[in-house]
Amino acid sequence: VSFDDVTALQQRAAGLFTAEISPDWTIADKPNGGYLLAMLGRAAGLVGLHPDVIAASAHYLTTPEPGPVTIEVEVLRSGRSASQLRTSLQQDGRSCVQALLTTSRLDADSTAYWDRGVPAPGSLPMADCIRIPDRTPTGLSVAIMRQVDLRIEPGCLGFADGRPSGRGELYGWLALPDGANFDPCSLLYAIDAFPPATFEIEATGWVPTLELTGYVRALPAPGPVRILQRAQLIEARRVDEACFVWDVTGRLVAQASQLAGIKLG
Amino acid sequence: VSFDDVTALQQRAAGLFTAEISPDWTIADKPNGGYLLAMLGRAAGLVGLHPDVIAASAHYLTTPEPGPVTIEVEVLRSGRSASQLRTSLQQDGRSCVQALLTTSRLDADSTAYWDRGVPAPGSLPMADCIRIPDRTPTGLSVAIMRQVDLRIEPGCLGFADGRPSGRGELYGWLALPDGANFDPCSLLYAIDAFPPATFEIEATGWVPTLELTGYVRALPAPGPVRILQRAQLIEARRVDEACFVWDVTGRLVAQASQLAGIKLG
């Protein structure tokens, strides 16, 4: 099933949509948070005057089940070059995700004016990276790994053998089903697609995202994307992670930070 | 005038406050974006069940003038360990800033469980850093610099002489009026207090914040805070910046990212 299909929206009224969370885009039966944000991004692109999400900030209230949801979008401001919108995803009358988004129009011909250059730690081609299995070591189903092709470089796969490197970072590649090209909406999934970078520090259970902010900086070239997911600080049972996404040409196309809960610290 | 005074709120109804934007906390007569977010954080701490902001995501719609504003707060979810809230700042019926916030209770005794360690580029004590003047080279008033004590290390002050280093980062110290201690609310100001890190790339006019997300990770020790503000990518007239805030003991107490407009790229 394509990413477009699992994020399809039916418009019910001005600023009101219904959608269906796919049971296939889940980890232990819970939908991925970036997948939910991509749905909100798609709705924002339809309601505002501008098609491309460039900034999205989501707060996760409660995890919806696979199945029908309602998405509401309110335009906060429509400018010449950008629209600003408030969105929410609800299920059975409960608000599950709230997000503020900015949309604009990204130009396929833009180039970086100045780039600090994040030291991309990996260098292997996708074919030399290891695909993540669709089941956790404890036997939970990671159904989403049967949909996307997510591969991690062998150098940061210590956690798979119970020997995390302690570096707290994961890097590798992500491709959508059938090798579909990424767009600003699916990049909102990409920024939350990787396993928690904390797996390379210490094994824990679920690391639920509390807040996720992503910036889409450019339209990606066709093909898979390279991702770096990096933990910064674990304290008081919370961790922040940074994420960088490059297209196959090595261009930085998305960046994100998230705060998540973790049973450490 | 103390930071508490310029962020004071008057409650008018459940979840409804009025406040006064100080003309002294402005740059070229525009209030600082982190100062406005601190007001929203204070309102969220009063309305929710938890006192300390730990995550805040703000989208800036239009810049309010100094003077009276209205702040609305809606509780989205109240949990045992955290509250999630939606807030907005309005002036003359126009929404100026919208933010989603998470509040919790920070424990003064918590310690970092794991810290990647951001390479703090500076090392000079505050007394050896240079205070930012209260007027731009083009003669605009930076009134806020008469309120706070913001000092930058000489090594990243090339921009002050028209010779930016090209490194796109600024580091130094920040103290509140009368040396008041920082708390989670005033840390929301600290994450946006520094000049744009792009000043150390190329001189431009105003670099207006479009989106600002901050995480407060710990209660800071009494005293000033050390700040690193760092640009990552300038493309299509937008720049993202990361910010790190440490207390005087060297503990990482806040982190942020922002997307801003810039007349480059």
Side-chain angles (χ1 to χ4, degrees):
Chain A
V1 189
S2 74
F3 188 76
D4 282 355
D5 283 345
V6 295
T7 56
L9 305 176
Q10 287 75 45
Q11 183 146 13
R12 302 299 179 183
L16 183 67
F17 301 85
T18 53
E20 192 80 20
I21 296 175
S22 167
D24 295 327
W25 283 66
T26 55
I27 298 109
D29 299 325
K30 295 173 196 293
N32 171 278
Y35 164 44
L36 301 178
L37 185 55
M39 283 187 179
L40 295 178
R42 176 171 274 210
L46 292 172
V47 172
L49 295 176
H50 301 85
D52 302 320
V53 175
I54 60 164
S57 321
H59 284 238
Y60 293 85
L61 311 180
T62 185
T63 307
E65 303 292 325
V69 292
T70 301
I71 290 172
E72 283 183 17
V73 185
E74 180 192 349
V75 179
L76 299 169
R77 181 171 171 276
S78 276
R80 192 179 48 78
S81 65
S83 300
Q84 292 163 298
L85 309 102
R86 185 159 74 183
T87 65
S88 72
L89 185 150
Q90 289 140 34
Q91 189 172 60
D92 300 332
R94 268 190 327 176
S95 181
C96 301
V97 186
Q98 296 257 343
L100 297 167
L101 296 104
T102 299
T103 58
S104 185
R105 187 175 294 278
L106 290 171
D107 178 356
D109 295 330
S110 80
T111 54
Y113 180 83
W114 185 88
D115 189 346
R116 163 175 305 280
V118 177
S123 58
L124 291 182
M126 189 166 181
D128 295 340
C129 296
I130 310 295
R131 198 160 174 186
I132 291 289
D134 63 358
R135 207 157 276 283
T136 68
T138 55
L140 296 172
S141 170
V142 190
I144 198 168
M145 294 307 163
R146 291 190 289 271
Q147 303 299 316
V148 299
D149 187 353
L150 192 161
R151 300 191 192 196
I152 293 184
E153 289 212 5
C156 50
L157 264 175
F159 73 92
D161 297 322
R163 288 193 295 271
S165 68
R167 288 193 302 269
E169 57 186 28
L170 297 176
Y171 37 92
W173 294 86
L174 176 70
L176 292 174
D178 301 319
N181 295 330
F182 281 90
D183 63 15
C185 263
S186 47
L187 286 176
L188 294 182
Y189 159 64
I191 58 173
D192 191 43
F194 261 44
T198 54
F199 281 10
E200 274 293 272
I201 300 170
E202 193 170 327
T204 63
W206 193 37
V207 181
T209 303
L210 306 171
E211 199 277 346
L212 172 63
T213 291
Y215 305 141
V216 177
R217 304 305 300 278
L219 295 173
V225 291
R226 182 183 266 286
I227 294 178
L228 165 63
Q229 186 84 22
R230 190 156 73 178
Q232 169 69 45
L233 177 70
I234 302 175
E235 178 160 342
R237 304 200 147 218
R238 282 183 284 269
V239 61
D240 67 292
E241 295 187 37
C243 179
F244 300 87
V245 183
W246 297 267
D247 71 10
V248 281
T249 72
R251 177 186 203 178
L252 186 62
V253 292
Q255 308 155 302
S257 67
Q258 69 170 272
L259 188 69
I262 190 167
K263 293 210 167 66
L264 290 175
Chain B
V1 188
S2 74
F3 188 77
D4 282 355
D5 283 345
V6 295
T7 56
L9 305 175
Q10 287 74 44
Q11 183 145 15
R12 301 299 179 183
L16 183 68
F17 301 86
T18 54
E20 193 80 21
I21 295 176
S22 167
D24 296 326
W25 283 65
T26 55
I27 299 109
D29 299 324
K30 296 173 195 295
N32 171 277
Y35 164 43
L36 301 179
L37 184 56
M39 283 187 179
L40 295 178
R42 177 171 274 209
L46 291 172
V47 172
L49 295 177
H50 301 87
D52 302 320
V53 175
I54 60 163
S57 319
H59 285 238
Y60 293 85
L61 311 180
T62 187
T63 308
E65 303 291 326
V69 292
T70 302
I71 291 172
E72 282 181 19
V73 185
E74 180 193 349
V75 179
L76 300 169
R77 181 171 171 276
S78 275
R80 193 181 45 80
S81 64
S83 300
Q84 292 162 299
L85 309 102
R86 185 159 75 182
T87 65
S88 72
L89 185 149
Q90 289 140 35
Q91 189 172 60
D92 299 331
R94 269 190 325 177
S95 182
C96 300
V97 187
Q98 295 256 344
L100 296 167
L101 297 105
T102 300
T103 58
S104 184
R105 187 176 295 279
L106 291 171
D107 178 356
D109 295 330
S110 80
T111 54
Y113 179 82
W114 185 88
D115 189 346
R116 162 175 306 278
V118 176
S123 56
L124 291 183
M126 188 167 181
D128 295 341
C129 296
I130 312 295
R131 197 160 174 186
I132 290 290
D134 63 358
R135 207 157 277 281
T136 68
T138 56
L140 296 173
S141 171
V142 190
I144 198 168
M145 294 307 162
R146 292 190 288 271
Q147 302 300 316
V148 300
D149 188 352
L150 192 159
R151 302 192 191 195
I152 293 184
E153 289 211 6
C156 51
L157 262 176
F159 73 91
D161 297 322
R163 287 193 295 273
S165 68
R167 288 192 301 270
E169 56 185 31
L170 298 176
Y171 36 92
W173 293 87
L174 176 71
L176 291 174
D178 301 319
N181 296 330
F182 282 89
D183 62 16
C185 264
S186 47
L187 286 176
L188 294 182
Y189 160 64
I191 58 173
D192 190 43
F194 262 44
T198 55
F199 281 9
E200 274 293 272
I201 300 170
E202 194 171 326
T204 64
W206 193 37
V207 181
T209 303
L210 307 171
E211 198 277 346
L212 173 63
T213 291
Y215 305 142
V216 176
R217 305 303 302 275
L219 295 173
V225 291
R226 182 184 266 286
I227 293 178
L228 164 64
Q229 186 84 21
R230 190 158 73 178
Q232 169 69 45
L233 177 70
I234 302 176
E235 178 162 342
R237 304 198 147 219
R238 283 183 283 270
V239 61
D240 66 293
E241 296 187 37
C243 180
F244 300 87
V245 183
W246 297 267
D247 70 10
V248 282
T249 72
R251 177 186 203 178
L252 185 61
V253 293
Q255 307 155 303
S257 67
Q258 69 169 272
L259 188 69
I262 189 166
K263 293 209 167 67
L264 290 175

